[in-house]
Amino acid sequence: MGSIAGMLNFDREKRVDEHIIKRMSSVMKHRGSDYEGLYINNNLGFGVNCLYLSDNVQQPVYNEDKSICVVVDGEIWNYIDVKELVVKKGHDVFTNSSAEIIAHLYEEFGEDCVVKLEGAFAFALWDNKQKKLLLARDHAGQKPLYYLLDDKKIVFGSELKSILECDGIVPEVSMEALDVFLTYSYIPSHYCILKGIKKLEAGCFLVCSNGKTAVSEYWDFRYGAPEQSESYCAEHLYELIKKSVQTRLSRVQNVPFGAFLSGGTDSSTIVGMLSTILDRPLKTFVVGFKEEAFCEFPYARIVAEHFGTEHHEVEVTTAMALSMLPDFVWHYDEPFADFSAIPTYYGSKITREYVKAVFTGDAPDQLLGGSGHHLKEQIRRKHLPIPDFLRTTIIAALVHNIPLDIVDKNNLDRIKKLIKMEAYPLEREYGIRGAYFTEDVKHELYMNDLRKSQEIACALKVSEGFFRKTTAKDALDKIF
């Protein structure tokens, strides 16, 4: 973990203020407490905070003639392969820093260097010969990167608060982003809670040169692989997980590390894989509550005992949860309503007392079809195979007067709501089903001026956009 921040003035005669870059970087010191670096080159400035895991190299890092400067937040998991590639191209690699191999890779492939990287990263690169700034974010968007662009400059940072450290920036809430938040309980990557500030989206890079800026997508998840047998897929998945764990282990093995363990499929799989690779007990951590319905202690204990881990349990009380809310708001920058962030916060805080890096398991529910959306679609296919043209005509007419915000007081209400959902095509129904506040309810909440605002559009278009973008043909695959 770490952070990056920076500024590029389009007027080459306007030198970047070093004190501003320091402020932008210092406000994110919590992301990397081992080292703070700075790079000022006339109208360009970088700041970086480092948390040493695979190396103790001080950033920024340069190529051989120092014409290219790189700062990076994160790790390149295929570091060994990329290092071999640049060495064959004639480059000298003096460290095991992710930043150094990015510099050399850029020398060989330019902006396309990002295509050859695998990892969790956000980096900034300055090409002093071409006077070009390159920002890039990893394939899945694990590392954040915000930026503000106007006619005089571009400013960027790993966190929103970093950009607000710049002089002359007055924060103003984006009502469009707030509207989307009330629907989905988070703000998707192509929105930001503050006007004028954007997120560089996952799998994208930004190039800024001669006052012109362009964002390009270098990767997106694509369907199209031929169907294989279940046994083949299971074996192939196992090998992919094993390789994934091994590559990450190679980058953190020089520091104390552990793993989160909830007892679910995702974390249990990672813990199991690590336990088969390591020759010593793995440190595992679980966060629980006094309320049994929300406590994962029993499940985590079963897995911990099975693999013989050095297990630690952290119980979070209501008082603890309430006391951390100010810190929570400060760290997240944008509205976020997933209560799982509370145990994650305390888990990370306690874990840091024992280890410096921690393995987690994310997204198996989506990857393996384990969420309620997947189950519901499978049930509908089997028991209620209604063609789309019937949904949008006959059923839509029958349920027109049933409100979407109906309260589930009894089974009849739930049946009404279920039938109402069947009136929509999948891409809209998916958004409605996951909505915290429906369009009708938000309309009642908003004042007249906001209802008429041009900023407010139908938030359901967000989920519809995701469905349109996917290359999947099958409805169940689209949900994945």
Side-chain angles (χ1 to χ4, degrees), residues 144-190:
L145 193 58
Y146 294 81
Y147 69 95
L148 179 148
L149 176 67
D150 59 29
D151 58 350
K152 295 181 180 179
K153 64 185 178 301
I154 181 170
V155 183
F156 64 89
S158 297
E159 294 185 4
L160 189 57
K161 63 175 69 68
S162 173
I163 295 176
L164 298 181
E165 290 296 318
C166 294
D167 294 339
I169 296 178
V170 180
E172 183 180 356
V173 172
S174 165
M175 299 312 298
E176 182 182 18
L178 182 60
D179 180 65
V180 171
F181 166 73
L182 291 175
T183 299
Y184 298 103
S185 78
Y186 79 105
I187 298 178
S189 60
H190 45 296

XYZ file of all heavy atoms in Angstrom, residues 144-190:
376
model
N -6.939 3.096 -6.044
C -7.716 4.265 -6.479
C -6.841 5.342 -7.105
O -5.641 5.436 -6.816
C -8.333 4.763 -5.170
C -7.307 4.395 -4.130
C -6.709 3.089 -4.584
N -7.440 6.179 -7.952
C -6.736 7.326 -8.511
C -7.761 8.367 -8.978
O -8.557 8.103 -9.875
C -5.840 6.910 -9.672
C -4.825 7.969 -10.141
C -3.911 8.388 -8.987
C -3.991 7.450 -11.301
N -7.732 9.525 -8.335
C -8.612 10.643 -8.666
C -7.816 11.693 -9.453
O -6.593 11.804 -9.288
C -9.149 11.308 -7.393
C -10.063 10.463 -6.547
C -9.556 9.520 -5.655
C -11.448 10.610 -6.617
C -10.395 8.748 -4.856
C -12.299 9.847 -5.825
C -11.763 8.922 -4.950
O -12.597 8.163 -4.171
N -8.530 12.471 -10.269
C -7.853 13.584 -10.928
C -8.823 14.724 -11.206
O -10.030 14.523 -11.348
C -7.172 13.131 -12.221
C -8.095 12.736 -13.350
C -8.455 13.647 -14.349
C -8.598 11.432 -13.446
C -9.287 13.284 -15.390
C -9.428 11.064 -14.480
C -9.768 11.985 -15.456
O -10.605 11.620 -16.490
N -8.260 15.918 -11.269
C -9.000 17.131 -11.616
C -8.303 17.762 -12.808
O -7.082 17.959 -12.792
C -9.035 18.097 -10.437
C -9.762 19.440 -10.657
C -10.404 19.908 -9.360
C -8.800 20.523 -11.159
N -9.070 18.060 -13.825
C -8.517 18.617 -15.054
C -9.241 19.917 -15.402
O -10.472 19.954 -15.469
C -8.683 17.607 -16.199
C -8.252 18.053 -17.595
C -6.744 18.247 -17.660
C -8.707 17.016 -18.640
N -8.460 20.997 -15.586
C -9.037 22.236 -16.102
C -8.144 22.771 -17.212
O -7.245 22.050 -17.692
C -9.257 23.262 -14.979
C -7.980 23.641 -14.244
O -6.893 23.595 -14.864
O -8.042 23.998 -13.054
N -8.354 24.002 -17.632
C -7.601 24.518 -18.774
C -6.187 24.953 -18.414
O -5.399 25.322 -19.298
C -8.356 25.696 -19.413
C -8.598 26.837 -18.418
O -8.359 26.630 -17.203
O -9.024 27.909 -18.862
N -5.815 24.879 -17.120
C -4.490 25.316 -16.703
C -3.608 24.196 -16.166
O -2.381 24.308 -16.169
C -4.613 26.399 -15.632
C -5.256 27.686 -16.139
C -5.320 28.725 -15.038
C -5.967 30.018 -15.559
N -6.057 31.057 -14.495
N -4.243 23.118 -15.707
C -3.454 22.085 -15.021
C -4.233 20.780 -14.915
O -5.448 20.737 -15.142
C -3.082 22.555 -13.620
C -4.285 22.752 -12.714
C -3.903 23.319 -11.381
C -5.120 23.566 -10.486
N -6.110 24.500 -11.068
N -3.499 19.739 -14.540
C -4.114 18.485 -14.107
C -3.511 18.141 -12.748
O -2.300 18.266 -12.544
C -3.898 17.339 -15.116
C -4.594 16.061 -14.608
C -2.414 17.081 -15.396
C -4.641 14.937 -15.631
N -4.375 17.790 -11.821
C -3.977 17.436 -10.461
C -4.497 16.030 -10.179
O -5.617 15.692 -10.565
C -4.567 18.421 -9.429
C -4.077 18.086 -8.034
C -4.219 19.849 -9.792
N -3.707 15.190 -9.514
C -4.157 13.818 -9.242
C -3.693 13.363 -7.866
O -2.749 13.905 -7.290
C -3.650 12.857 -10.320
C -2.146 12.717 -10.367
C -1.495 11.769 -9.600
C -1.388 13.556 -11.185
C -0.105 11.642 -9.637
C -0.008 13.441 -11.225
C 0.636 12.488 -10.455
N -4.380 12.346 -7.346
C -4.005 11.788 -6.061
C -4.724 10.472 -5.796
O -5.793 10.207 -6.351
N -4.141 9.671 -4.928
C -4.735 8.386 -4.573
C -6.025 8.555 -3.783
O -6.854 7.647 -3.762
C -3.749 7.544 -3.749
O -2.603 7.237 -4.498
N -6.173 9.687 -3.123
C -7.388 9.962 -2.370
C -7.918 11.340 -2.732
O -7.157 12.244 -3.113
C -7.128 9.870 -0.864
C -6.768 8.467 -0.393
C -6.637 8.363 1.111
O -6.897 9.370 1.809
O -6.271 7.276 1.603
N -9.215 11.491 -2.588
C -9.889 12.738 -2.929
C -9.360 13.903 -2.107
O -9.182 15.024 -2.605
C -11.393 12.553 -2.719
C -12.344 13.637 -3.203
C -12.162 13.897 -4.687
C -13.786 13.228 -2.902
N -9.084 13.652 -0.840
C -8.638 14.718 0.053
C -7.304 15.310 -0.388
O -6.993 16.465 -0.095
C -8.554 14.205 1.490
C -7.541 13.099 1.707
C -7.434 12.719 3.182
C -8.667 12.027 3.680
N -8.863 10.676 3.095
N -6.517 14.514 -1.096
C -5.233 15.008 -1.581
C -5.421 16.149 -2.568
O -4.718 17.172 -2.510
C -4.455 13.863 -2.236
O -3.283 14.330 -2.858
N -6.371 16.006 -3.477
C -6.632 17.034 -4.486
C -7.133 18.318 -3.826
O -6.823 19.431 -4.262
C -7.632 16.512 -5.524
C -7.000 15.352 -6.306
C -8.091 17.603 -6.478
C -7.925 14.696 -7.302
N -7.889 18.178 -2.753
C -8.437 19.347 -2.063
C -7.365 20.161 -1.343
O -7.642 21.272 -0.882
C -9.512 18.909 -1.070
C -10.739 18.221 -1.672
C -11.742 17.870 -0.582
C -11.389 19.083 -2.742
N -6.152 19.629 -1.242
C -5.056 20.377 -0.643
C -4.511 21.437 -1.587
O -3.733 22.303 -1.177
C -3.923 19.423 -0.232
C -4.248 18.525 0.940
C -4.474 19.307 2.221
O -3.705 20.260 2.485
O -5.429 18.975 2.957
N -4.889 21.390 -2.857
C -4.422 22.383 -3.828
C -5.123 23.721 -3.595
O -6.295 23.757 -3.227
C -4.693 21.907 -5.248
S -3.744 20.461 -5.714
N -4.418 24.776 -3.865
C -4.997 26.110 -3.713
C -6.073 26.350 -4.771
O -5.951 25.909 -5.920
C -3.913 27.183 -3.856
C -2.890 27.131 -2.730
O -3.221 26.574 -1.666
O -1.770 27.639 -2.924
N -7.121 27.042 -4.374
C -8.128 27.471 -5.334
C -9.200 26.461 -5.663
O -10.082 26.735 -6.482
N -9.167 25.294 -5.060
C -10.182 24.277 -5.340
C -11.278 24.362 -4.275
O -11.025 24.143 -3.090
C -9.570 22.866 -5.375
C -8.580 22.761 -6.530
C -10.669 21.808 -5.517
C -7.892 21.420 -6.630
N -12.474 24.706 -4.712
C -13.618 24.828 -3.806
C -14.528 23.609 -4.006
O -15.113 23.436 -5.069
C -14.411 26.122 -4.083
C -15.593 26.228 -3.126
C -13.507 27.337 -3.963
N -14.647 22.739 -3.010
C -15.468 21.536 -3.174
C -16.948 21.847 -3.308
O -17.493 22.652 -2.555
C -15.185 20.724 -1.904
C -14.730 21.731 -0.896
C -14.014 22.798 -1.672
N -17.582 21.225 -4.279
C -19.019 21.377 -4.488
C -19.605 19.999 -4.782
O -19.117 19.282 -5.651
C -19.298 22.318 -5.651
C -20.789 22.575 -5.886
C -21.053 23.510 -7.046
O -20.084 24.039 -7.642
O -22.242 23.702 -7.392
N -20.648 19.642 -4.048
C -21.239 18.313 -4.178
C -21.900 18.145 -5.543
O -22.626 19.016 -6.022
C -22.280 18.065 -3.065
C -23.043 16.762 -3.309
C -21.601 18.019 -1.710
N -21.639 17.012 -6.166
C -22.315 16.648 -7.409
C -23.641 15.984 -7.058
O -23.667 14.893 -6.474
C -21.454 15.675 -8.224
O -22.212 15.049 -9.236
N -24.754 16.628 -7.400
C -26.058 16.064 -7.080
C -26.329 14.809 -7.893
O -27.063 13.919 -7.453
C -27.144 17.107 -7.327
C -27.003 18.370 -6.482
S -26.704 18.046 -4.709
C -28.192 17.163 -4.257
N -25.734 14.726 -9.063
C -25.889 13.507 -9.868
C -25.256 12.321 -9.154
O -25.843 11.242 -9.067
C -25.245 13.694 -11.244
C -25.401 12.480 -12.156
C -24.722 12.651 -13.499
O -23.854 13.548 -13.619
O -25.046 11.898 -14.424
N -24.039 12.513 -8.610
C -23.370 11.438 -7.882
C -24.125 11.088 -6.605
O -24.238 9.911 -6.231
C -21.935 11.842 -7.548
N -24.661 12.092 -5.921
C -25.432 11.844 -4.706
C -26.691 11.039 -5.021
O -27.073 10.132 -4.275
C -25.805 13.167 -4.043
C -26.577 13.075 -2.728
C -25.776 12.318 -1.679
C -26.934 14.471 -2.215
N -27.328 11.359 -6.121
C -28.519 10.631 -6.552
C -28.189 9.168 -6.818
O -28.924 8.257 -6.419
C -29.092 11.290 -7.810
C -30.340 10.590 -8.312
O -31.354 10.610 -7.597
O -30.296 10.017 -9.419
N -27.073 8.932 -7.476
C -26.640 7.557 -7.758
C -26.319 6.826 -6.460
O -26.649 5.649 -6.286
C -25.416 7.557 -8.701
C -24.822 6.156 -8.819
C -25.809 8.074 -10.079
N -25.690 7.545 -5.508
C -25.375 6.931 -4.219
C -26.628 6.462 -3.496
O -26.665 5.372 -2.919
C -24.616 7.921 -3.335
C -24.538 7.506 -1.902
C -23.703 6.476 -1.507
C -25.332 8.114 -0.932
C -23.641 6.067 -0.186
C -25.282 7.721 0.388
C -24.438 6.688 0.764
N -27.677 7.285 -3.493
C -28.911 6.915 -2.797
C -29.561 5.685 -3.419
O -30.312 4.969 -2.761
C -29.887 8.091 -2.814
C -29.481 9.296 -1.964
C -30.463 10.440 -2.153
C -29.371 8.914 -0.504
N -29.249 5.430 -4.674
C -29.773 4.223 -5.321
C -28.951 2.992 -4.975
O -29.485 1.957 -4.583
C -29.810 4.399 -6.853
O -30.669 5.483 -7.179
C -30.325 3.131 -7.540
N -27.633 3.105 -5.092
C -26.771 1.920 -4.984
C -25.996 1.814 -3.673
O -25.316 0.819 -3.448
C -25.779 1.906 -6.154
C -26.451 1.811 -7.498
C -26.577 2.933 -8.304
C -26.984 0.609 -7.950
C -27.206 2.856 -9.543
C -27.608 0.517 -9.181
C -27.718 1.647 -9.980
O -28.344 1.570 -11.195
N -26.028 2.841 -2.844
C -25.329 2.902 -1.553
C -23.814 3.020 -1.707
O -23.076 2.890 -0.738
C -25.672 1.696 -0.654
O -24.977 0.530 -1.024
N -23.349 3.260 -2.902
C -21.944 3.601 -3.139
C -21.897 4.439 -4.415
O -22.907 4.569 -5.118
C -21.074 2.351 -3.284
C -21.148 1.692 -4.649
C -20.097 1.832 -5.563
C -22.251 0.927 -5.030
C -20.164 1.233 -6.820
C -22.312 0.327 -6.274
C -21.263 0.483 -7.162
O -21.327 -0.102 -8.394
N -20.750 5.013 -4.718
C -20.618 5.849 -5.913
C -19.744 5.120 -6.926
O -18.544 4.922 -6.675
C -20.028 7.229 -5.558
C -20.985 7.951 -4.595
C -19.798 8.074 -6.810
C -20.508 9.302 -4.138
N -20.319 4.677 -8.046
C -19.554 3.932 -9.062
C -18.374 4.734 -9.600
O -18.287 5.949 -9.440
C -20.596 3.692 -10.159
C -21.921 3.793 -9.475
C -21.729 4.831 -8.413
N -17.481 4.030 -10.286
C -16.186 4.605 -10.658
C -16.274 5.747 -11.652
O -15.346 6.547 -11.748
C -15.280 3.506 -11.222
O -15.867 2.926 -12.377
N -17.335 5.852 -12.423
C -17.405 6.958 -13.375
C -18.155 8.166 -12.807
O -18.552 9.060 -13.555
C -18.023 6.513 -14.702
C -19.254 5.675 -14.582
N -19.247 4.438 -13.999
C -20.532 5.889 -14.976
C -20.461 3.921 -14.041
N -21.254 4.782 -14.615
